[in-house]
Amino acid sequence: MDNQTDTTVIAESFTDKEIFTKIWTSPRAVIKYINDNKYEKFVAILLILAGIARAFDRASNKDMGDTYSLWTIIGICVVLGGSLGWIAFYIYAYLVSWTGKWLKANGDQKSILRVLAYAMIPIIVALLLVIPQIGIYGIEVFKSDGDITSAGLVPNIFFYGSMILELVLAIWTLVLCVVGISEVQKLSKGNAILNLLLPVLIIAVPILLLTMFFSLFN
C-alpha cells in the first residue's frame, strides 16, 4: 500500500466580505485568489475612491487652501479625482506591465490593474479620516500655515493620531502593492519593488532632464 502523504494544496476561497477583511491579515492569499479567479467585482469603485483619496492628499500637500475655498477643493477632489484619477492607475498598470518585460515578468495590464485596485483599500480607509478632519478644522487642513492647534486638546489628539494612522495605512498600501505585483508578475519582492519604481523613473527622469535643459537658457 502506498503510504505517501498527499501534499496537494487546496486553493483558498473568499467571500466578498472576507476579501475586504482578510486582505489585512492574509494579503498574499487574498491577492492570489483575486488574480487566479480574475475577481473584478469592485475594481471600478475602488479605483474611483482611490482617485478621490489621492486627490485629497495632493490638495493638502499642495496647500490648495491658500488659493481655493473649501467647497471648491472638495468639489475638485471628488469630481475630478473620482472621474479622472483612475486614469492614472490605468497608465501606471500599463507601464508596470511594460517594464516588467525587462525583468522577464508575467502579468498584463488588466491583471496588474486588478490587484492594484484592491491594494488601494488601506488608502481608501484613510479617506474616512479626512471627513472628521475637515469637520473640525475646515479649510485650515489645506493651508500652508493652517491653524490646526486651536480646536482643543481632544480634537488635536484625534488630528495627530489620524495623521499617524494615515501614514500606517499608506505603508500598508505599499506592502499590498509589492505583494500584488510579486504575485501577478511572479517576481521576487525585490524585483517587484523595482518594477513599481521603474514607471516612476521613466516619467520623472525625462521631465527632470528637460527642466534642467530649459533652465540653462533662462
Side-chain angles (χ1 to χ4, degrees):
M1 182 182 292
D2 186 5
N3 294 323
Q4 184 178 3
T5 302
D6 184 5
T7 58
T8 302
V9 178
I10 300 176
E12 291 190 65
S13 179
F14 299 95
T15 64
D16 292 348
K17 179 180 178 181
E18 287 174 334
I19 284 180
F20 286 91
T21 55
K22 292 193 175 182
I23 199 168
W24 301 89
T25 57
S26 305
R28 182 168 289 278
V30 172
I31 288 175
K32 178 175 174 56
Y33 172 82
I34 291 169
N35 184 51
D36 291 349
N37 293 276
K38 297 180 173 56
Y39 184 88
E40 298 182 348
K41 189 171 183 179
F42 301 103
V43 169
I45 187 62
L46 288 174
L47 291 176
I48 291 172
L49 291 175
I52 294 173
R54 293 176 69 248
F56 272 107
D57 186 55
R58 287 195 300 271
S60 179
N61 291 335
K62 293 185 177 181
D63 304 320
M64 288 180 64
D66 294 343
T67 307
Y68 301 100
S69 69
L70 177 60
W71 286 109
T72 300
I73 294 172
I74 293 174
I76 290 173
C77 292
V78 173
V79 176
L80 294 183
S83 61
L84 300 177
W86 56 269
I87 294 176
F89 288 103
Y90 274 87
I91 295 173
Y92 183 69
Y94 171 78
L95 290 174
V96 169
S97 174
W98 179 51
T99 57
K101 295 176 182 178
W102 304 349
L103 303 174
K104 302 186 184 302
N106 300 319
D108 57 15
Q109 179 189 18
K110 192 171 184 179
S111 60
I112 292 170
L113 183 67
R114 188 185 304 122
V115 297
L116 287 179
Y118 284 91
M120 294 298 114
I121 289 176
I123 278 186
I124 294 170
V125 171
L127 180 62
L128 297 177
L129 299 173
V130 175
I131 299 173
Q133 288 177 7
I134 294 175
I136 295 171
Y137 297 103
I139 191 68
E140 302 299 319
V141 175
F142 302 103
K143 288 185 175 181
S144 57
D145 57 349
D147 182 7
I148 55 174
T149 60
S150 62
L153 179 61
V154 174
N156 288 339
I157 291 175
F158 167 79
F159 180 78
Y160 289 107
S162 64
M163 288 184 65
I164 294 173
L165 183 55
E166 285 178 21
L167 176 61
V168 173
L169 291 170
I171 293 173
W172 190 240
T173 295
L174 292 175
V175 171
L176 292 181
C177 286
V178 172
V179 172
I181 295 303
S182 175
E183 177 62 34
V184 171
Q185 297 196 294
K186 308 304 178 188
L187 294 170
S188 66
K189 290 181 180 178
N191 281 337
I193 293 172
L194 175 60
N195 202 30
L196 284 168
L197 293 174
L198 282 174
V200 178
L201 295 175
I202 288 174
I203 295 173
V205 171
I207 293 176
L208 178 62
L209 291 175
L210 285 172
T211 301
M212 293 175 62
F213 176 77
F214 286 112
S215 66
L216 295 175
F217 300 94
N218 294 330

